[in-house]
Amino acid sequence: MKLKKFNFKIIKSTNDRAFQIIKNTNNKSGIVIAEKQKRGRGRYGKKWISFKGNLFVSIFFQVNMVQLSLNNLTKINCLLVKKLLSNFYKDKIMVKKPNDLLINNMKISGILQETLSKSDKTFIIVGIGINLIKSPSIKGYLTTNLFDLTGVKISPNNAALKLKKIYETFIPMFPKFNIKNFDRNLK
């Protein structure tokens, strides 16, 4: 499956733009990439701090044919983002349920999943934020970024292209997916 790329300099939120694309076009899948978000958000309407140079993407695709619960889709999406991070960071990366990724007990990434129905079709929108070069200061919550951990600057475009390839490989597997064997499928 190929994800159509939608690139933007500044938008309100990648998830909001994905909603607009689904509602107003016939695109069945895609990846929305932004250099900056003005109103990025996390779960429960929490603000996602969007420093330029970090990664902000939303991947969307139809899920009608997928026989997985949203909880299992969340687990899979966390593991796919973990796979991306492991391209750049070789030590332990933890998934903090339900939707955060941590390195050294500090948040490096968050995922926001939302669904949308259009013409009897259900779409999932997977918003992904990754701290590539700068970490936000969040009271009571430690954060980190890949640059501080590795000393290597990773371009958002490079990370987005790698993530796009990961999803293009794994989305076709979703209909016959066995969550118990997922880690083996990732290798």
Side-chain angles (χ1 to χ4, degrees), residues 18-32:
F19 271 102
Q20 290 172 344
I21 292 166
I22 294 165
K23 285 181 182 177
N24 300 323
T25 71
N26 290 321
N27 288 293
K28 291 181 174 53
S29 63
I31 180 169
V32 177

Side-chain angles (χ1 to χ4, degrees), residues 148-170:
D148 285 350
L149 292 165
T150 65
V152 177
K153 269 195 172 181
I154 297 147
S155 82
N157 191 50
N158 180 25
L161 290 176
K162 285 185 183 304
L163 188 62
K164 180 180 181 285
K165 284 184 180 177
I166 290 168
Y167 270 87
E168 286 173 344
T169 300
F170 284 95

Side-chain angles (χ1 to χ4, degrees), residues 112-176:
L112 175 64
Q113 281 185 174
E114 298 177 293
T115 58
L116 172 69
S117 293
K118 176 186 172 186
S119 305
D120 295 332
K121 293 179 177 84
T122 302
F123 293 84
I124 187 163
I125 300 155
V126 185
I128 300 164
I130 299 175
N131 300 329
L132 296 176
I133 63 163
K134 191 169 183 184
S135 311
S137 293
I138 302 171
K139 188 177 180 182
Y141 209 99
L142 298 175
T143 61
T144 192
N145 64 75
L146 284 171
F147 181 69
D148 285 350
L149 292 165
T150 65
V152 177
K153 269 195 172 181
I154 297 147
S155 82
N157 191 50
N158 180 25
L161 290 176
K162 285 185 183 304
L163 188 62
K164 180 180 181 285
K165 284 184 180 177
I166 290 168
Y167 270 87
E168 286 173 344
T169 300
F170 284 95
I171 290 171
M173 295 180 186
F174 283 9
K176 55 185 178 278

